[in-house]
Every structure is written in C-alpha cells, then in structure tokens.
C-alpha cells in the first residue's frame, strides 16, 4: 500500500483511531443536519443544507485525492477548501439552530488536525 511507504509525521495517530473518530463525527453531522432539516423550509434553510452537502462532497473527495490518486498537494488544497466550507456551514447552522453548529465543533477541530497532518505528509514526502 502506497500510504504505508510514506514518511510519517511524528504526530500521526495510529490507524485504529480514524474509524471510531469518523463514526462519531458522521453521527454528529447527521444529527445536526436533522436539526436543520426539520426547520421550516425557506431560502436560509435550503442554502444551509446546500453548504452542508458541499462540505460532505469535499469530505468524500479528499480520501480519493489523497489515498487513491496519491496527490498530497492537491489533497492539501482540497482539505483547505473543506475546512472553509465547514466554517461556512457552522456559521449558517448557528444562525438557524446554534446547537447544530456546536455539535460540529469536534468535526472542525478534527479537520483542522487532518489539515496539519496532510501538510506534514506533503512537506516530508
């Protein structure tokens, strides 16, 4: 596997951490989407759902760029876009339902960490 051949940053967590962390984060994202989804339909709610879906697509795409296409630099750029879309999502969630924003703070923190990890991989390989 290509990933196993890379020089690893000193702060790279063990592989077993990723599954449980992402499971919890996706559950929290689902709950937050439900909190927004059940609000009355309108332009603000629809835009918020669109931004949620945008960040979800960026989240999904990052794995392919990094692990399948082995493009560390493009993955770094893409994860920065993901981070910005998450911030935008949190702002929009907060305006409609603050709890939906608060429960995604761990997601933003994890993607911040993942961005630093991606950058480290890019610079040491």
């Amino acid at each position: 596997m290509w990933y196993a051949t890379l020089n690893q940053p000193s702060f790279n967590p063990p592989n077993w951490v990723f599954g449980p962390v992402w499971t919890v984060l996706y559950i929290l994202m689902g709950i937050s989407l439900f909190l927004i989804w059940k609000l009355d339909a309108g332009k603000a709610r629809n835009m918020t759902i669109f931004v949620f879906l945008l960040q979800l697509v960026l989240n999904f795409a990052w794995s392919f760029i990094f692990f399948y296409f082995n493009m560390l630099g493009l993955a770094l750029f893409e994860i920065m876009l993901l981070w910005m879309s998450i911030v935008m999502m949190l702002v929009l969630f907060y305006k409609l339902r603050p709890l939906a924003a608060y429960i995604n703070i761990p997601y933003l923190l994890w993607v911040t960490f993942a961005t630093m990890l991606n950058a480290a991989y890019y610079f040491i390989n």
Side-chain angles (χ1 to χ4, degrees):
M1 175 182 208
W2 164 82
Y3 177 73
T5 67
L6 295 175
N7 295 317
Q8 294 191 0
S10 61
F11 59 96
N12 190 52
N15 289 338
W16 65 264
V17 168
F18 293 94
V21 167
W22 279 111
T23 300
V24 170
L25 294 176
Y26 280 121
I27 289 169
L28 293 174
M29 281 189 270
I31 292 168
S32 67
L33 177 61
F34 176 74
L35 292 172
I36 298 300
W37 185 267
K38 72 178 191 168
L39 297 174
D40 291 336
K43 186 176 181 179
R45 186 198 79 152
N46 293 344
M47 176 55 74
T48 301
I49 291 171
F50 173 78
V51 172
F52 176 88
L53 295 173
L54 173 65
Q55 69 78 28
L56 197 60
V57 167
L58 289 169
N59 181 319
F60 182 73
W62 180 86
S63 294
F64 285 97
I65 296 168
F66 190 93
F67 292 108
Y68 183 77
F69 294 111
N70 307 335
M71 300 176 75
L72 301 174
L74 183 58
L76 180 57
F77 176 74
E78 197 272 356
I79 202 169
M80 289 188 281
L81 293 177
L82 171 60
W83 189 91
M84 289 185 283
S85 71
I86 294 168
V87 169
M88 182 183 299
M89 178 188 79
L90 292 178
V91 168
L92 294 172
F93 274 19
Y94 185 81
K95 289 178 181 179
L96 296 179
R97 187 79 195 268
L99 178 60
Y102 293 141
I103 65 175
N104 278 290
I105 291 172
Y107 177 39
L108 179 65
L109 294 174
W110 183 256
V111 172
T112 300
F113 173 73
T115 302
M116 294 185 303
L117 193 58
N118 189 153
Y121 271 104
Y122 176 72
F123 290 113
I124 66 175
N125 286 285

